Amino acid sequence: MPPGDRIVDGGRVLAGHARAGVAALRTFDRDSGGACSVTGVEVFGQDDAWVVDAEFTADPQTVTVISADGVEGPGEVVGWLSFSVPGDAPGESHRLQVTEQNGDYFVSFGDAGAQAGTHPFRFLNVPAADPDGHTTIDFNAAWLPASAFSDAYLCPLPSAVNVLDVAVPAGEKRVVRR
């Protein structure tokens, strides 16, 4: 089945897929035990302290991206976002490496909250920086990757440089299952 083609049979979908020139077939079944076990998404409460100013520094390069299934491939990053978070000491900051997506930034990140039950990684969309390099990161908008819901999705894992050494108690936390 060519990539992008789909066959729908009731609650099941067969979808053609290709990665690095290798064709594959994915099966989605909304009536499967895994799909039926999802009861919701646990979310942290809105906290305006986790809307932080950031500074963008351009640093385009090709990096190795590892997908949730362990497959490695090249990816293009455009630079870094530098910022401080609640609880940081004066002058302390963190960095995340970002890609460009539809004129804004996209980031796959992990944080120390994974040790306390937050999903191992989450995604963020961040507005592109203004001409002076300023933007705002709203961690309240962090969302779970599709691979949190099903192994059929091949989401990009955060690189080691995108795993923060602080917990980020903002945004979507984890999938809730019965």
Side-chain angles (χ1 to χ4, degrees), residues 7 49 66 82 91 127 135 151 153 161 176:
I7 298 173
I66 302 174
S82 300
T135 189
D151 292 338
Y153 295 100
V161 298
V176 179

Side-chain angles (χ1 to χ4, degrees), residues 6-117:
R6 300 169 76 82
I7 298 173
V8 179
D9 179 21
R12 292 189 182 104
V13 176
L14 298 176
H17 173 72
R19 180 171 50 180
V22 177
L25 184 64
R26 292 188 190 167
T27 304
F28 299 90
D29 182 357
R30 74 173 95 164
D31 297 323
S32 72
C36 292
S37 71
V38 175
T39 60
V41 173
E42 188 174 347
V43 179
F44 291 101
Q46 174 74 24
D47 186 347
D48 291 340
W50 285 93
V51 179
V52 300
D53 293 329
E55 189 74 28
F56 175 74
T57 304
D59 185 18
Q61 56 185 288
T62 301
V63 297
T64 299
V65 176
I66 302 174
S67 296
D69 65 348
V71 173
E72 296 182 9
E76 302 299 320
V77 296
V78 295
W80 296 89
L81 292 175
S82 300
F83 55 93
S84 295
V85 298
D88 279 351
E92 185 177 0
S93 67
H94 308 276
R95 294 186 337 152
L96 290 171
Q97 198 170 45
V98 299
T99 63
E100 185 275 331
Q101 186 176 64
N102 300 322
D104 288 322
Y105 306 128
F106 171 79
V107 61
S108 176
F109 78 99
D111 67 282
Q115 299 164 359

Side-chain angles (χ1 to χ4, degrees), residues 107-133:
V107 61
S108 176
F109 78 99
D111 67 282
Q115 299 164 359
T118 300
H119 189 74
F121 68 103
R122 297 178 280 164
F123 293 156
L124 266 174
N125 295 102
V126 178
D130 67 19
D132 294 324

